[in-house]
Structure formats: structure tokens, C-alpha cells
Amino acid sequence: MSLEKNVDSPYIGTQSINLGSQTNCLKMNKTGVAIVGLGTVGQGVAQLLLDHGDRTARHAGRTLWLTHVVVKDIHKPRDVDLPAGIITNDLNKVINDDSVKVVAQLVGGIEPARSIILKLLESGKDVVTANKALLAEHGPEIFDRARQLGRSVAFEASAAGGIPIITNVSQCLSANQIESLHAILNGTSNFILSKMDSEGGDYQSALTLAQKLGLAEADPAMDVDGTDAAQKLAILAHLCFGARVHWSDIPRRGIDSIDERDLKFSKHLGYRIKLIAFAKLAGTGIQLMVSPMLVKTGKPLAEVQANFNAVSVVGDAVGPVFFHGQGAGQMPTASAVVADMIDTAVGRTAITFKTLELWADGHQRVDFAEPGDLEGRYYMRFDVVDQPGVMGQITGRLGQHGISIASVYQHETQNEHQQTVPIVIMTHAAKESAARAAMKQIADMPTVAESPERFRILS
Amino acid sequence: MSLEKNVDSPYIGTQSINLGSQTNCLKMNKTGVAIVGLGTVGQGVAQLLLDHGDRTARHAGRTLWLTHVVVKDIHKPRDVDLPAGIITNDLNKVINDDSVKVVAQLVGGIEPARSIILKLLESGKDVVTANKALLAEHGPEIFDRARQLGRSVAFEASAAGGIPIITNVSQCLSANQIESLHAILNGTSNFILSKMDSEGGDYQSALTLAQKLGLAEADPAMDVDGTDAAQKLAILAHLCFGARVHWSDIPRRGIDSIDERDLKFSKHLGYRIKLIAFAKLAGTGIQLMVSPMLVKTGKPLAEVQANFNAVSVVGDAVGPVFFHGQGAGQMPTASAVVADMIDTAVGRTAITFKTLELWADGHQRVDFAEPGDLEGRYYMRFDVVDQPGVMGQITGRLGQHGISIASVYQHETQNEHQQTVPIVIMTHAAKESAARAAMKQIADMPTVAESPERFRILS
């Protein structure tokens, strides 16, 4: 069997490729493309374009012809074999080459990435990017400029990597009002929580293991403090709800302060703790947050293991739809970037981009719910002095705030030197403002140790 | 909060709608659309177009203006309120109305559905359909005719209902060679198997319950005998692999002969039995089949409950991606149809349709693997006379065919009147031809009852 019969590589001196798999050996048109930034993802994109030109040609009806690869240091050794003469450190080679229509901008961080994208748009190129931090920070400027110039920006790889969630919410589910989106968008955090859950260790050991396996950066702050998930959620909230939100305005908490005991107690109750990017329409507006939450074992989001990502979307017509895949990594991300390059080359992106609600001057289509008004069920854990009456004081205080208790677990003291015992309370639905006020009062009680814990239960 | 601020319904006498959510209250263009067939799905489509014109307008940049609804009997009572004058029993009203560009053809079965689609294409309309039986039977003719005429056919709803699997494999994963697609595509069968698994009853009781709940037809044959799943798999195999296959050439077995004991034994071994639509590239070509298979508990496909559908795709770049949602039902199917209508109205379908490998005269891009050469692990169950030496005879026979045994379970006799006891054997990977030959020889042994059972284990 040959999957790729009679297909010449676009890099063996031909000017058009012979697409053996189609009827009349169509002579293919070419669309010039370029890559800016040859890091891990850039090398993956180059590899897909160079080694699988037949595949992209089949889906695009034309060859995506890699013409320039722009890097800072042209002498740095890299794992990908590029055709002679295409590597350069001069962005103007791309800017001034009219044959180049689509550019994958894969430089990370804010600058010079932002300036490069604006220059590319101004020179008439359509842009594909995986840079979620840049879009979360300067998306409105970039999207507005692209619209003014009649260009497009595609960014499938900016959220959930290999899961094509951007296309799914902005195209496939377009007949729906999205009612909620609950997602695991940070693979590093999910890896750490999965390890702590399955092997019972503490946060620091799991983080160290993740770093050893290349699944966490030397400085993991952006991943484990919720920033990365909030940046991705901001993009998705624009697309799903027409929300105008800067990522830093999304209430967020990471997993870096998580106590392994809470994973253990949750597991005992039939839940797993996951870092959830949460968006939900409620009566008073949209709720957005990033936080560790309890998810019932057996629910799809609870079963997401290792560094995988997943997105659970509810649409008013389609009902619940669940997506699961690799949220990062060289080839899953490159898969999303190259799909965007194909969509852009054939004209699908130009059509879709016009109707995405992403620009700065757009009218906000939803209001934000007042955070205190949000209703949710809660997991609460208090470390209390082991003496009679304490349980009654705590439950009484919750009752005063109108918080109804679903279940209570007092765990045994783990060793005799411990001064306190943990009490875990699962509540029925209660207002955030009430839960916050009750927690504060209980924490002030002399029989309760500092730093009680509270997590939302995802329903 | 108002999600849909300042948006006039397109059906309150306005000729253009005021899209309040965008900057300049764009005056919207209209694209005329029509529905042929007002059954359950047709009514859902009409409802989305009529009640949520603002939503489709936002995603399409124009109003999808429902101009005609063609039915057989205009007097039949229906649940949807249609604007005056649009219902008709005359297809020519659509054919002759040049303002109508996109038609949702929602009549089931082969004829007159086939003739209607051909007439619509010939009169210059683009067609959206949910009719998988028609596409599986006459897809090549319909797709070829559409291509010749420069028209398009969109069919997202024809496989997996609300899961947008067609767009995902033909657009979002276009940078990948799909390596395998394993799916649960028949909700009726999955409901029956889930019930038998969770409640332990037999096939007939679970089927009766499904019929009572409206999840199985009065004549469920096409659902439970694997036909429906094979028709959907044929469409997906075209898209994923460029395979040219008629659904009836896909080896298939349904769940209608399933023995509840095999679900019980499988469960005991940590597996669930699911009706799997299976496509996989192997060294010698593509393998396609529909059959009940054992899926390890905890794997996403094993956890698909009730009448849900799910698709697990592996791409060589993206790795595994998993989709889960409602595979049928009024609004999930309507969601897919209306998304197709939007894609068609804005021009995305025209672009995509050109590169789909769906037409009859296309070159087959893959070969089919020789069925006997396929390798797989197997679950085998034999009912044997309870006497010494039988186990040795069976395992010896498997050994003669080079089939290596992973584990053996002999279950206790369930009541003393039983003449036989069941032996369950889980094999290591073996060739289909060897497994078939060994099963036949073992079935012929005088100590083994008729009808031993064999299922593939999905790896």
C-alpha cells in the first residue's frame, strides 16, 4: 500500500506538484508561505510543510510553498533540514516578497511579536499565530488593525493546542447560544494534579517531576498560578459570548497553593480537583473564573489525565459537546498552525474572521455577573481544635448565612502530635458572597486554625 | 442582562435586520434559504432560523431568510409556527425562486430524496442534508453532479449528529494523516449496551425500554444490525482516508445477537462491550469494520453512556483527539444542519467541498487490508462440557494456530441443571485468519457447545 502515490515533494525542483491521488493529476497552484520564529513549534510547522506537501496540497487545492524562515540567529543548530537559501534573519525578505501570502508568526512573548504581526499585516500578509499571551494582551489592537487592512489573523493554536476548539465554537456550533464552557486548558497544572491524585505526593514533588519530564518550565509561574488558563479563557469568552474581557480581570487562582490533603479528601468523596477555566451564562450575566474545582469522578473533565487538555461546551441546541486532546507540544500545536495556514490560503479564514466578535470597538454583547451573586456548591475544609462543640459552631455559622449543608466529614487525626483535625463540609448551592462571609467569620473563631480552604464544586 | 440586545427578529416585517451587537448596526444582507421536509429535524431547523435569526446573522454576516418550506401534506398539524405563505407542497416554488441559494433537504430514505437533491443542484441551489442512508448509497452520483454543476453538498449532520466530526476531519485536522478512527456512531445500540451493562438485563428488555423512550424505532433493524453505523463509517472513511467504499462492503455485525453473559464476563475483566465503527491504517492497507468490541474501562470510548455518540481520531501530528456529544435528536441534528447552512451561505462550504475526496471517479488513495491478515486481540467464550481435559484441548488448538493466550477464566456453573460451563479466553495479538480457523475447529469439538463467541478487543 502507498498512501501517497506518485506525489513529488514540492522541494525536488518542481514548480508544480503532481497530485497523484486525484483524477487528472491536477497541476497545483502555489501559495507562498513563511515562518517567523523557528523554535519547537516553528520546526514542527516547517516539517509538516516540507515533508507533507502532498497532504497540505490535497486539502488546500494548492501547494503551500515555504519561501522564507525568519530567525534571530541563522547559525544556531536546529533539528529540521531547510531547503537552501530560505533561512534569513531579515523580516523584510518576507515583507517585500509579494508571493508570500500567509505567515506563521511563532515568536513568543509580547515584543517583538506584536510589532512583527502589525508589520506583516501592513505589508498585506495574512497572519497565523499560536501566541495566546500576545492575543490576550493586545488582541483588540491586532484584530482591529487586521480588519482595517482587510487582512485576517488565525489563532487556532492559541487555546488548547491540538484540540480545534476555536473553529468548533466559532464555526461548527454557530447555530447555538453557548451556555457554558468548562475547560482544562493548562497541561502543566493538570499533570501535577493528576500525579498528586494518583500517587498521593505533594505539590512540590509533582512539579519537580513535571520539570524533569519537560512538562513544566524552569519558572512555572504562568502555568501554575492560573495566568495561562486565564489568557486562553479570555480568548474563548470573546468567541463564545462576545464578552470584552482582559485576561487580568478574570478572577483566578492557580494550583500552586494546593494542599495534597484536599485532593485526598475530595477523592474520598468521589471527586477530583482540576484547574478549571470556567465560563457560564447565568440570569445576571456571564461568570468567568479560573480556579481549582471539584469535579465528580466519572464526568469527562474529571477523567482528563496527565498533560491533556479538554473542553466541555454546552450549546442550547446541540447540548453538551466534549473535546479532548493534547493541549501543547510540538506536533499537536504545529497541526493547528498548519490547519490555520491551509484555511487562510484557501480563503476560509477571511470569511470567518469577519464575523468573529474579537475587535476592540465592538459592543459588549453580555454583561458580567456580579461575583458575589454567583451561586455554586462548595467544598470547605477547616482545621479545628479537637474539642466538643466546634462542629456545632461551624455549622451554626454557615446556617446563619443561609448556607445549607449537603454532607460533613470529620477525618481522624493523622498523628497524635497534631493539634487540629480537619473537617470537610460539602454545601448545597449558596451565593458566593454568603460563602465568603461565612468563611471569614469561621476563620476568625479561636477553635479554627488559620487558612481554611474552599473550592467550588463543578456541577 | 440581555444577550441579544436591540436585535429585531427578521420575521417582524423588516427587510434587513439591525445587528445591535456590532459596531455600526450593520444593515444585513439576506440570503434566501428553504427547507424540504418538515419532520422532527426540519421543525428544529425552522425553529433555529425563525427564533434565532440574530444569531445566524451574527455568524453569517447576513440573514438566512426562510422563504419556502416544502412538505407533502400542508394540512398536517406541526409544532412550529411558520410565517404565513411559506409552506407549500410544490418543490418548483423553491426551484424557480432565484433568491433561494441554500436548501436543507431533510426528507429521509432514498427516493424521492435523491431526485429532489439532484433537481435542487440542477437549478443552482447548494444543498445541505442529514440523510446518511442516501449519501452512503448514492453519494458518488450526488457529489459528482454537484461538482460538475459547480455546486456544493454539506452533510455535517449525516454522521454523529451534534458532534461536528465532518468539519473536524476535513478541515481542522487537515495537516494530519489520520491513522485511525474508532467511533460509537449508533445511539440506539449504545443505549441498549449501556443498559445491559449497568442493569444486567438481556437484549430484548433493553430494546423494549429504548423503544418506550423513543430511542429505538418500532423496526430497529438498521440501528441494531450495524447498517446505520456502517453507512456513517463509509462517509467518514472517504473523508479521512480517501477510501472508496460502499457501506455494504464494510464487514459488519450488530448487537442484536449479543448474549448478556458476554457483557458480564467482559465487565469482570475490566472491559465494556461497545458497538465500534472501526477504521485503521495498517501496513497492508486500511481496515474497516463495524462490530461489538471490548473496550477497556476508563478509556473514553468505554465511558460513553446512554444514547451518546463519540469519535476517537488519531492523527500523525495531533495525536489522539476525542469528541463526545449527542449523535441524534431534533436540536443536536438541527444545530449541525444550520451550521452547514451558514457555512454554505458565507462560502466556506464551496471552498471545502472542492477538496473533499468524495466523488466517484476519484482515485482510491488507500488499499484495503486483506481481512484475514488483520491483527487483533480477541475475547473468546466457549461453553464446554464440564469434564477434565477440555481446557487443555482448547488451549492446545489455539496454540496450533499460533495464538498466544493472555488470560483464561473458567466461570462457575450458574445452576446445577446447566450442562455446560463457560470458558473465557483473552488472547494476545493474533491474525484474524488464524483466530477464525481456530474457532471453527474448536466449535467442532464434541465437548464444546455450538456457537462459541468471539469479539475483538479494541487496543
Side-chain angles (χ1 to χ4, degrees):
Chain A
M1 181 203 64
S2 165
L3 275 178
E4 316 290 4
K5 287 173 180 161
N6 311 322
V7 179
D8 296 324
S9 158
Y11 289 93
I12 314 182
T14 52
Q15 284 297 307
S16 65
I17 76 158
N18 182 339
L19 194 68
S21 62
Q22 288 188 5
T23 322
N24 300 313
C25 297
L26 303 170
K27 289 283 170 188
M28 283 278 139
N29 292 321
K30 292 193 307 182
T31 295
V33 303
I35 296 172
V36 181
L38 198 61
T40 311
V41 174
Q43 293 182 52
V45 171
Q47 194 184 314
L48 284 177
L49 293 173
L50 295 171
D51 296 352
H52 299 292
D54 57 311
R55 189 184 293 179
T56 41
R58 195 163 60 235
H59 286 286
R62 74 201 65 204
T63 307
L64 300 192
W65 194 275
L66 184 58
T67 309
H68 307 283
V69 174
V70 186
V71 297
K72 211 153 75 178
D73 175 3
I74 61 171
H75 300 295
K76 190 169 154 186
R78 293 179 172 91
D79 290 336
V80 62
D81 280 332
L82 296 176
I86 75 170
I87 198 161
T88 175
N89 56 10
D90 181 5
L91 183 66
N92 288 320
K93 287 237 173 110
V94 175
I95 302 276
N96 298 326
D97 185 341
D98 288 341
S99 80
V100 173
K101 306 297 183 193
V102 185
V103 183
Q105 197 296 117
L106 301 171
V107 174
I110 305 297
E111 282 294 354
R114 174 183 154 276
S115 305
I116 292 172
I117 287 184
L118 293 173
K119 267 188 217 158
L120 289 167
L121 292 170
E122 277 152 19
S123 66
K125 317 300 183 196
D126 290 314
V127 171
V128 172
T129 184
N131 189 329
K132 87 222 142 226
L134 176 62
L135 294 183
E137 203 63 65
H138 295 287
E141 179 192 13
I142 290 168
F143 294 126
D144 282 351
R145 193 78 189 109
R147 281 189 79 222
Q148 287 157 9
L149 293 162
R151 299 265 59 86
S152 66
V153 180
F155 48 96
E156 182 61 78
S158 68
I163 302 174
I165 192 63
I166 307 274
T167 303
N168 276 281
V169 298
S170 51
Q171 178 183 337
C172 304
L173 302 181
S174 55
N176 291 265
Q177 172 61 53
I178 306 290
E179 296 178 336
S180 66
L181 180 145
H182 302 155
I184 292 172
L185 297 174
N186 185 269
T188 305
S189 296
N190 200 65
F191 177 86
I192 292 170
L193 292 175
S194 297
K195 270 291 153 205
M196 291 173 72
D197 181 74
S198 63
E199 291 171 24
D202 66 3
Y203 169 76
Q204 194 54 52
S205 326
L207 171 61
T208 305
L209 175 64
Q211 285 168 324
K212 199 177 293 176
L213 295 173
L215 298 172
E217 309 275 347
D219 175 5
M222 303 265 281
D223 287 315
V224 299
D225 74 0
T227 298
D228 174 81
Q231 290 177 337
K232 292 166 177 167
L233 182 61
I235 295 171
L236 292 173
H238 276 244
L239 291 169
C240 292
F241 305 102
R244 300 279 168 273
V245 62
H246 190 269
W247 68 269
S248 62
D249 293 328
I250 296 177
R252 67 193 181 284
R253 175 179 167 189
I255 61 158
D256 41 355
S257 63
I258 213 138
D259 185 328
E260 66 205 81
R261 292 183 303 156
D262 292 313
L263 276 95
K264 205 179 68 180
F265 299 154
S266 299
K267 195 175 190 173
H268 174 74
L269 297 167
Y271 292 83
R272 292 209 174 90
I273 296 183
K274 295 289 183 185
L275 183 65
I276 299 293
F278 178 100
K280 188 177 182 178
L281 282 180
T284 55
I286 189 171
Q287 309 172 15
L288 295 174
M289 72 183 94
V290 171
S291 177
M293 295 189 190
L294 273 70
V295 189
K296 189 98 187 152
T297 309
K299 285 214 174 198
L301 281 175
E303 304 303 320
V304 178
Q305 299 299 317
N307 59 330
F308 274 75
N309 276 200
V311 186
S312 177
V313 180
V314 177
D316 65 349
V318 77
V321 190
F322 178 75
F323 306 87
H324 180 270
Q326 295 194 56
Q330 180 179 41
M331 296 316 289
T333 310
S335 165
V337 170
V338 174
D340 269 353
M341 295 175 83
I342 292 173
D343 280 359
T344 304
V346 299
R348 275 190 296 253
T349 304
I351 295 170
T352 311
F353 188 70
K354 281 186 202 139
T355 58
L356 296 181
E357 301 182 273
L358 280 167
W359 33 96
D361 56 357
H363 184 77
Q364 157 107 348
R365 193 158 50 86
V366 290
D367 296 327
F368 292 100
E370 180 57 46
D373 288 346
L374 305 183
E375 286 226 330
R377 295 189 58 210
Y378 295 99
Y379 162 102
M380 297 173 171
R381 189 250 307 151
F382 306 99
D383 293 312
V384 304
V385 178
D386 194 6
Q387 68 183 43
V390 177
M391 176 82 85
Q393 291 167 2
I394 291 175
T395 56
R397 198 60 64 131
L398 290 171
Q400 284 165 17
H401 285 87
I403 298 171
S404 168
I405 295 170
S407 58
V408 178
Y409 299 84
Q410 178 163 344
H411 291 265
E412 285 197 11
T413 311
Q414 292 180 322
N415 70 63
E416 57 194 37
H417 304 295
Q418 255 180 326
Q419 302 294 312
T420 58
V421 291
I423 289 179
V424 170
I425 294 176
M426 306 285 274
T427 77
H428 286 300
K431 278 203 175 177
E432 166 69 21
S433 53
R436 197 188 301 142
M439 288 292 289
K440 192 173 174 334
Q441 287 188 0
I442 296 169
D444 287 345
M445 287 165 46
T447 48
V448 174
E450 278 172 25
S451 319
E453 185 58 280
R454 175 169 66 106
F455 296 116
R456 183 150 171 173
I457 303 169
L458 189 66
S459 58
Chain B
M1 179 202 69
S2 162
L3 274 180
E4 316 291 2
K5 286 174 181 161
N6 311 322
V7 179
D8 297 324
S9 158
Y11 290 93
I12 316 182
T14 52
Q15 284 296 308
S16 65
I17 77 158
N18 183 336
L19 195 70
S21 61
Q22 289 188 4
T23 323
N24 300 312
C25 298
L26 303 170
K27 289 283 172 188
M28 283 279 138
N29 292 322
K30 292 192 307 180
T31 295
V33 302
I35 295 172
V36 180
L38 198 60
T40 312
V41 174
Q43 293 181 53
V45 171
Q47 193 184 315
L48 284 176
L49 293 173
L50 295 171
D51 296 353
H52 300 293
D54 56 311
R55 189 185 292 177
T56 42
R58 195 164 62 236
H59 285 287
R62 73 200 66 202
T63 306
L64 300 191
W65 193 276
L66 184 57
T67 309
H68 307 282
V69 174
V70 185
V71 297
K72 212 154 73 178
D73 175 3
I74 61 172
H75 300 297
K76 191 171 154 186
R78 294 180 171 91
D79 288 338
V80 62
D81 280 331
L82 297 176
I86 75 169
I87 197 161
T88 175
N89 56 10
D90 182 6
L91 182 67
N92 288 319
K93 287 238 175 107
V94 175
I95 302 277
N96 297 326
D97 184 342
D98 288 342
S99 80
V100 173
K101 307 296 184 195
V102 185
V103 182
Q105 197 296 118
L106 300 171
V107 174
I110 303 298
E111 284 293 355
R114 174 183 154 275
S115 304
I116 292 171
I117 288 184
L118 293 173
K119 267 188 218 160
L120 290 167
L121 292 170
E122 276 152 20
S123 67
K125 317 301 184 196
D126 290 315
V127 171
V128 173
T129 184
N131 190 331
K132 88 223 141 229
L134 176 62
L135 294 182
E137 204 62 64
H138 295 287
E141 178 192 14
I142 290 168
F143 294 126
D144 281 350
R145 194 78 190 105
R147 283 189 77 224
Q148 288 158 8
L149 294 162
R151 300 263 60 84
S152 65
V153 180
F155 48 97
E156 182 62 80
S158 69
I163 302 174
I165 192 62
I166 307 274
T167 303
N168 276 281
V169 298
S170 51
Q171 179 184 338
C172 304
L173 303 181
S174 54
N176 292 265
Q177 173 62 52
I178 306 290
E179 296 178 335
S180 67
L181 179 145
H182 302 156
I184 293 172
L185 297 175
N186 185 269
T188 305
S189 296
N190 200 65
F191 178 87
I192 291 171
L193 292 174
S194 297
K195 269 291 151 200
M196 290 173 72
D197 181 74
S198 63
E199 293 170 23
D202 66 3
Y203 169 76
Q204 194 53 54
S205 325
L207 171 61
T208 305
L209 176 63
Q211 286 170 323
K212 201 177 291 175
L213 295 172
L215 298 172
E217 309 275 347
D219 174 5
M222 303 264 283
D223 288 314
V224 298
D225 74 2
T227 298
D228 174 80
Q231 290 177 336
K232 292 166 178 167
L233 181 61
I235 295 170
L236 293 172
H238 277 244
L239 292 169
C240 292
F241 304 102
R244 300 280 166 272
V245 62
H246 190 270
W247 69 268
S248 61
D249 293 328
I250 297 177
R252 68 194 179 286
R253 177 181 167 188
I255 60 158
D256 39 356
S257 63
I258 213 140
D259 185 327
E260 66 206 82
R261 292 183 304 158
D262 293 312
L263 277 94
K264 206 179 67 180
F265 299 153
S266 299
K267 195 174 188 174
H268 173 74
L269 297 167
Y271 291 84
R272 292 210 176 89
I273 296 183
K274 294 289 185 187
L275 182 66
I276 300 293
F278 178 99
K280 187 176 182 180
L281 282 180
T284 55
I286 189 170
Q287 309 172 14
L288 296 174
M289 73 183 93
V290 172
S291 177
M293 295 189 189
L294 272 70
V295 189
K296 190 99 188 152
T297 309
K299 287 217 172 194
L301 280 175
E303 305 303 321
V304 178
Q305 298 298 317
N307 59 329
F308 273 75
N309 278 199
V311 186
S312 178
V313 180
V314 177
D316 65 349
V318 76
V321 190
F322 178 76
F323 305 87
H324 180 268
Q326 297 193 55
Q330 180 179 42
M331 295 317 288
T333 310
S335 165
V337 170
V338 173
D340 269 352
M341 294 175 83
I342 292 173
D343 281 358
T344 303
V346 300
R348 275 191 297 252
T349 303
I351 295 170
T352 310
F353 188 70
K354 280 186 206 139
T355 58
L356 297 181
E357 301 182 273
L358 279 167
W359 33 95
D361 57 357
H363 185 76
Q364 155 106 351
R365 191 159 50 86
V366 290
D367 297 325
F368 292 99
E370 181 57 45
D373 289 345
L374 305 182
E375 286 226 331
R377 295 188 58 210
Y378 295 100
Y379 163 103
M380 297 173 172
R381 187 249 308 150
F382 306 99
D383 293 312
V384 305
V385 176
D386 193 7
Q387 68 183 41
V390 178
M391 176 82 84
Q393 290 166 5
I394 291 175
T395 56
R397 197 60 63 130
L398 291 171
Q400 283 165 19
H401 285 87
I403 299 170
S404 166
I405 295 171
S407 57
V408 177
Y409 300 84
Q410 177 164 346
H411 291 267
E412 287 197 10
T413 310
Q414 294 179 321
N415 69 65
E416 56 193 40
H417 305 296
Q418 256 180 325
Q419 302 293 313
T420 58
V421 291
I423 290 179
V424 171
I425 294 176
M426 306 286 274
T427 77
H428 286 300
K431 279 205 176 176
E432 166 69 19
S433 53
R436 197 188 301 142
M439 288 292 287
K440 192 172 173 334
Q441 287 188 357
I442 296 168
D444 288 343
M445 287 165 46
T447 47
V448 174
E450 277 171 26
S451 321
E453 186 58 279
R454 175 168 65 105
F455 295 116
R456 184 151 172 173
I457 302 169
L458 189 67
S459 58

